[in-house]
Amino acid sequence: MTVTVALAGDTMLGRGVARALATTPPEALVAPEVRAAMGEADLVVLNLECCISERGRPWDAPGKPFFFRAPPRAVELLALLGTDCVTLANNHALDYGFDALADTLEHLAAAGIAAVGAGPDVERARRPATLAAGGLRVAVLGATDHPPDFAVGPDRPGVAFADLGRRLPGWLPERIGAADAEVVLVTPHWGPNMTSQPVGHVRRAAAALVEAGATLVAGHSAHVPHGVAGPVLYDLGDFLDDYRVDPRLRNDLGLLFLVTLDGRGPARLEALPLKLDFCHTHLATGSDAAWMRRRFRSACAALGTTVAEEGDRLTVTWATGAGTAGVPPPPPGGGGSPPGGR
C-alpha cells in the first residue's frame, strides 16, 4: 500500500491575491497544468500563509511589516486545488487577531479542509489531522519556530509554537509518537527568510524529528526550495503570492512536490518546476525551468542526495525506510540565523 502526497509551499492568498480573487475566478490563479499535477496525488497539503476572514485588525507587534488576510472566497481556490489539509503554524495565522483565526478555522472546516498547527486552545493547536488514502492513515502535524507572541496558551488561541533553537520541545516528539497512523508528516515553519540552504538549528531539528518517528518532514519559511536529505524536504519554497522577487534567489521560481510513501517511509519524490508570476502560478518553461532544475540538483547534492530527471520532472528515489542516517548533521558550530521574517 502506498500514498502519494502533493506538497505545496507558502500559499499567500491575501493582499494582491485577494484583490485578484475579487475580480477573477479562482481557476485563473493557478494554471490547469499545475492543478492537474496536484490531482495525481491522493492527498494535497500546503502551508496557508494568511488568515481567511473579513474581521480583525493588524496584530500589534513593533516592527512587524507584513499582514496577510484573504477573503472567504479564498476557500474556493483551496478546494479547487483539491486541498485536504493546511498548516496554520506560521507567522501569519494571527495577522488579524484571534477573531480572524477563528474565522479561518471555521471557513476551512465548512469546506472539509483539515487544519493543523493553530487552534483555540493548546490541545487543538498541537493535535495532528489524520487523513486516510491509499489504504494508509497519514497524520499531519504542524509547528512553527516563530513568532513566540503567536504561541497558543492555556487561556488564549494561537499557533503551535516550538522553540527549535536547542532541542525539540517535549510536546512535539510526544505527538509524533502518539500519532495513530502508518505515515506521520511533520510540516514545520522554520528558519529565516530568503536563505539558499537550511541553517544549523533547522538541520538539528530535522534529525530530531526523524529520530522521534516522523516518516516525512516537509518544511517551509525560506521562500525558496531547499534540498532533500533522507526523509527531509527542508523547504518547499513558495506556491502562490504577490511577493517582490529577489533576482539572485529567484523566489519567483518554485517546485510542486509529489512524494509517494508506504508504511516504512518515503519511496519516491517527483518535483515539478513552477513559475510564480504576480498572483498566478504555472509550470516553469525554458530558461526558468532549467534554472530551477540546476538549483534543486545543486541544493540536493550539497546534502548528499542524487537527483535524476524524467521528462519535465526532477526525481529522488529513497531506499526502503529512509531514516536519520540520510540526514546529514549540521556544519561544525551549528551555524544558523534566528527564525523570523515575512
Side-chain angles (χ1 to χ4, degrees), residues 57 65 107 113 195 198 325:
R57 61 180 183 178
H107 287 307
I113 299 171
T195 57

Side-chain angles (χ1 to χ4, degrees), residues 103-117:
D103 291 344
T104 304
L105 294 167
E106 183 177 335
H107 287 307
L108 292 168
I113 299 171
V116 299

Side-chain angles (χ1 to χ4, degrees), residues 36-321:
M38 299 175 85
E40 296 175 18
D42 301 300
L43 298 171
V44 175
V45 178
L46 57 82
N47 175 48
L48 183 61
E49 195 162 57
C50 61
C51 59
I52 299 176
S53 179
E54 295 177 307
R55 298 194 294 166
R57 61 180 183 178
W59 186 265
D60 185 13
K64 181 173 172 59
F66 303 110
F67 301 88
F68 302 146
R69 180 176 58 181
R73 194 182 187 197
V75 173
E76 296 178 28
L77 175 58
L78 295 175
L80 182 69
L81 298 175
T83 308
D84 295 282
C85 181
V86 304
T87 176
L88 298 172
N90 56 52
N91 55 316
H92 292 288
L94 278 174
D95 272 4
Y96 282 81
F98 301 129
D99 288 342
L101 173 60
D103 291 344
T104 304
L105 294 167
E106 183 177 335
H107 287 307
L108 292 168
I113 299 171
V116 299
D121 53 51
V122 172
E123 167 59 28
R124 278 176 279 187
R126 296 177 178 177
R127 179 191 302 165
T130 302
L131 313 172
L136 297 172
R137 291 164 298 172
V138 179
V140 183
L141 181 65
T144 181
D145 67 2
H146 62 281
D149 60 324
F150 276 16
V152 69
D155 56 357
R156 53 164 265 172
V159 303
F161 174 73
D163 184 351
L164 303 177
R166 293 184 179 272
R167 64 184 64 184
L168 298 184
W171 69 266
L172 249 179
E174 289 173 5
R175 292 285 176 160
I176 293 171
D180 184 19
E182 291 79 26
V183 173
V184 180
L185 166 61
V186 181
T187 177
H189 200 67
W190 55 9
N193 293 165
M194 308 308 288
T195 57
S196 60
Q197 60 185 356
V199 297
H201 86 269
V202 165
R203 293 174 66 172
R204 288 192 298 271
L209 289 169
V210 176
E211 184 66 30
T215 314
L216 184 71
V217 178
H220 29 80
S221 181
H223 296 300
V224 293
H226 287 175
V228 174
V232 180
L233 286 61
Y234 279 104
D235 205 290
L236 302 175
D238 286 353
F239 180 71
L240 177 65
D241 57 48
D242 67 350
Y243 298 156
R244 185 173 64 181
V245 177
D246 183 292
R248 180 178 66 88
L249 291 175
R250 293 299 306 271
N251 54 302
D252 62 327
L253 298 178
L255 292 167
L256 173 67
F257 295 89
L258 302 174
V259 182
T260 299
L261 309 100
D262 58 28
R264 295 168 294 180
R268 177 179 169 84
L269 174 149
E270 297 183 7
L272 284 76
L274 302 176
K275 178 70 165 71
L276 282 68
D277 289 326
F278 185 82
C279 306
H280 176 71
T281 298
H282 55 92
L283 295 181
T285 59
S287 60
D288 287 334
W291 191 98
M292 190 70 256
R293 288 195 297 268
R294 289 193 302 270
R295 174 71 187 91
F296 186 62
R297 290 174 70 102
S298 174
C300 288
L303 296 169
T305 299
T306 300
V307 177
E309 294 189 31
E310 299 179 17
D312 62 349
R313 302 190 178 195
L314 298 149
T315 64
V316 173
T317 302
W318 283 275
T320 300

